[in-house]
Amino acid sequence: MNHLKVKQKDRLNLNSGDMQFQFEVNYDQGSEAAEVQFALVCKNVPLGSTVGFSSDKPGPTPPINLPPTKVISYPSFVVGEMSSVPANYTCVITVMGTFSQTPPPDVSIDLQAAYVAVV
């Protein structure tokens, strides 16, 4: 049986009222290469806002890079990409975006890295 295993999850909780945000995540693939799903899980992010991410190093195919993407559903929105990540790959993934309006106090954005595991 296959299931999706979350390898890493980092969350930004925003309460400052800033209209733009950015945070960095240290990513370490470990000793085995894998097809990894990188996803932003957005909760209570206003419609029309933009979210995206990119890594600071080449290596995966395609590169870990999600250009600014418009949030099109509320209260939850998930967007991401699949990349083939080589063994021992490390990088810093920068998550960034702009809110279309002042976000509610319970807004959150998770960056998740997950792969299919056989159990």
Side-chain angles (χ1 to χ4, degrees):
M1 172 185 251
N2 294 341
H3 72 280
L4 193 63
K5 180 174 181 179
V6 175
K7 174 179 175 50
Q8 186 168 337
K9 179 177 172 181
D10 290 273
R11 171 175 286 179
L12 173 66
N13 288 307
L14 301 159
N15 296 317
S16 65
D18 289 340
M19 295 304 285
Q20 294 187 334
F21 63 88
Q22 179 173 313
F23 67 100
E24 295 181 342
V25 176
N26 293 314
Y27 181 79
D28 184 348
Q29 176 60 31
S31 62
E32 292 187 29
E35 287 289 320
V36 180
Q37 173 185 289
F38 295 91
L40 292 177
V41 179
C42 305
K43 293 185 181 170
N44 298 315
V45 174
L47 289 170
S49 300
T50 58
V51 295
F53 57 79
S54 65
S55 73
D56 66 341
K57 293 181 188 170
T61 306
I64 300 169
N65 181 45
L66 179 70
T69 303
K70 190 175 281 193
V71 174
I72 59 171
S73 66
Y74 182 89
S76 86
F77 177 70
V78 179
V79 64
E81 69 165 11
M82 294 289 295
S83 279
S84 178
V85 182
N88 303 312
Y89 175 78
T90 62
C91 70
V92 175
I93 300 173
T94 302
V95 177
M96 68 292 243
T98 303
F99 294 115
S100 61
Q101 58 186 288
T102 303
D106 56 350
V107 67
S108 68
I109 300 171
D110 291 344
L111 173 66
Q112 292 182 355
Y115 63 94
V116 175
V118 179
V119 293

